[in-house]
Amino acid sequence: MATMEDHVHTVLDKDQELLFLRSKLIDLENRSRRDNICLSGFPEHAEVQTPHSTVQSFLHSVLPKLNEKVFEPRLEFQRAHCLGPKRKDGTSKPRPIIACLLRHEQVRQLLSAARAHGPFKTDGYEVRITGDFSRETNERRKGFLALRPRMRQFEEKYGLFEPARLWITKNGVAKKF
């Protein structure tokens, strides 16, 4: 019996270690993506150019709408690519474009301005600019979406902070989840 209890404790310790390592791995993946922006809503035909030139021309046309100071030095990209293979079944669901900017501070400024502006309507389609997160973090962020109507119903102040932390302010006291 003592041997079995030792074995159970060893397994539980390994499980906790595995959970800890998994959280570290997710954190590392999110940190490696922090210089990326995700642009969703471009139709497939907008991809006639390369994703890099599509993103560059789009952001060049959008920056004046953001009422932001001109980015100095100007926005530079390391790379840009579409997620996933081109759809062969002819569906019109657009693939997101991921662009890696050269300067992290510009990513933060761009995301902040895009969040305040909302989706951009260009040539009959709607483009959203968001941060790029790991699959696990995106699933966690989606889990908070169900709480938004309840927070509005109770007129509570709330916010979702990066990567996936919900803050609720009640009676002047902020709590994070």
Side-chain angles (χ1 to χ4, degrees):
M1 190 68 158
T3 305
M4 288 301 288
E5 286 178 357
D6 288 343
H7 183 66
V8 167
H9 287 296
T10 303
V11 169
L12 291 176
D13 288 343
K14 296 280 185 196
D15 281 348
Q16 284 187 345
E17 184 179 353
L18 183 62
L19 287 174
F20 175 74
L21 290 174
R22 182 179 166 92
S23 70
K24 295 287 269 184
L25 181 64
I26 291 169
D27 182 54
L28 277 171
E29 185 176 356
N30 284 329
R31 286 176 189 267
S32 71
R33 294 175 177 225
R34 71 181 186 176
D35 291 340
N36 295 351
I37 58 172
C38 180
L39 297 114
S40 55
F42 283 108
E44 288 293 324
H45 71 273
E47 230 183 273
V48 173
Q49 304 172 337
T50 64
H52 189 277
S53 60
T54 301
V55 170
Q56 205 160 21
S57 63
F58 171 75
L59 287 178
H60 181 69
S61 68
V62 160
L63 286 178
K65 295 178 186 177
L66 293 177
N67 294 327
E68 279 290 307
K69 61 183 180 197
V70 177
F71 285 94
E72 283 299 326
R74 68 181 187 88
L75 288 175
E76 293 182 90
F77 297 93
Q78 289 181 351
R79 61 188 171 277
H81 64 275
C82 293
L83 283 182
K86 192 166 186 167
R87 301 183 195 282
K88 295 178 182 174
D89 59 357
T91 59
S92 61
K93 186 176 177 183
R95 296 181 294 164
I97 297 176
I98 303 295
C100 181
L101 274 70
L102 191 60
R103 294 174 190 84
H104 180 68
E105 188 56 38
Q106 289 181 338
V107 172
R108 295 181 61 80
Q109 288 175 343
L110 184 61
L111 290 175
S112 175
R115 192 176 309 116
H117 184 276
F120 298 95
K121 295 182 185 337
T122 309
D123 299 332
Y125 52 92
E126 204 172 83
V127 176
R128 292 182 183 275
I129 302 174
T130 59
D132 182 30
F133 300 106
S134 67
R135 176 176 290 164
E136 292 85 359
T137 303
N138 279 332
E139 288 172 4
R140 215 171 140 199
R141 290 171 69 93
K142 284 180 188 175
F144 294 133
L145 289 177
L147 297 175
R148 290 172 70 182
R150 298 282 305 226
M151 293 293 114
R152 288 189 190 125
Q153 177 185 357
F154 293 119
E155 297 178 356
E156 298 290 339
K157 290 185 178 181
Y158 65 94
L160 185 61
F161 294 94
E162 291 184 8
R165 290 222 124 167
L166 180 68
W167 288 70
I168 299 174
T169 304
K170 185 171 186 172
N171 299 328
V173 178
K175 294 184 179 180
K176 59 183 175 180
F177 300 95

